[in-house]
Amino acid sequence: IRVSVLRLDYQYKRVFRVEVVAVVAAFVVTIGLAVLFGVWGVIIAAPTFLLFPIFVSVVLFRVPIPKGFSRPLLKELLVLGFPMVVIGFTYTAYTTIDRYFIIGGFGTAQLGYYSIVVTLATMVLVVPISVISLLTQYAREMFGRTGDPADVWALVKRFSITIAVLLIPVAMMLND
């Protein structure tokens, strides 16, 4: 809700500030509670840092929370969000099961290597997703400002060529 309200009004600077404050605060709160209470601290921190960005948005950055409740919007959010939640839980379950098999069959050292590879592979996938998310918001803003699809298409072409040129060295390194 917090970021959607800002994105609808094209307030990307505010979105950036809210997200930076929320991520830093979540890190500090999680580490602090983990040091004080161990695993229970992390369990306590999870809902805390999920609610903290809403607090930061409303109190620090004065983001208005929309009034009223929209059943069609709730239905749309559930239809779009539920498959993503299922995929997230499934991925977590599969990687946990994999880790148990690796520990049982090969030991903890091999699990460490496996975890490093999975983490790096996940991070490699996060970068394009983040860039596409940024491009999508920028393209929407551009179309809202000019109303000309040709401007958006020129942006997409320029971006695609840039990414292709940047990915050629990466693909060559991975090929060796």
Side-chain angles (χ1 to χ4, degrees), residues 41-112:
V42 175
I43 293 170
I44 294 168
T48 304
F49 74 76
L50 289 175
L51 295 174
F52 188 75
I54 296 171
F55 175 78
V56 168
S57 301
V58 172
V59 174
L60 244 55
F61 296 107
R62 308 267 188 244
V63 176
I65 299 295
K67 304 288 189 243
F69 180 78
S70 171
R71 286 190 187 274
L73 181 60
L74 176 65
K75 182 179 177 185
E76 184 180 345
L77 288 173
L78 289 174
V79 167
L80 293 174
F82 184 72
M84 291 189 285
V85 170
V86 170
I87 289 170
F89 283 133
T90 306
Y91 174 77
T92 303
Y94 281 144
T95 55
T96 303
I97 292 169
D98 279 350
R99 290 177 180 158
Y100 282 127
F101 279 118
I102 291 170
I103 286 175
F106 302 107
T108 55
Q110 296 302 322
L111 175 66

Side-chain angles (χ1 to χ4, degrees), residues 54-174:
I54 296 171
F55 175 78
V56 168
S57 301
V58 172
V59 174
L60 244 55
F61 296 107
R62 308 267 188 244
V63 176
I65 299 295
K67 304 288 189 243
F69 180 78
S70 171
R71 286 190 187 274
L73 181 60
L74 176 65
K75 182 179 177 185
E76 184 180 345
L77 288 173
L78 289 174
V79 167
L80 293 174
F82 184 72
M84 291 189 285
V85 170
V86 170
I87 289 170
F89 283 133
T90 306
Y91 174 77
T92 303
Y94 281 144
T95 55
T96 303
I97 292 169
D98 279 350
R99 290 177 180 158
Y100 282 127
F101 279 118
I102 291 170
I103 286 175
F106 302 107
T108 55
Q110 296 302 322
L111 175 66
Y113 296 129
Y114 169 80
S115 296
I116 290 171
V117 170
V118 169
T119 303
L120 290 176
T122 304
M123 293 309 296
V124 165
L125 293 175
V126 166
V127 172
I129 291 169
S130 300
V131 170
I132 288 170
S133 175
L134 178 67
L135 176 69
T136 303
Q137 296 299 326
Y138 185 70
R140 287 179 184 169
E141 182 182 349
M142 179 182 289
F143 185 74
R145 189 173 52 238
T146 65
D148 187 12
D151 289 340
V152 176
W153 181 241
L155 172 72
V156 170
K157 286 193 297 188
R158 186 173 61 232
F159 178 76
S160 300
I161 292 170
T162 305
I163 291 297
V165 168
L166 292 175
L167 287 179
I168 289 172
V170 173
M172 291 175 66
M173 286 188 302
L174 293 176

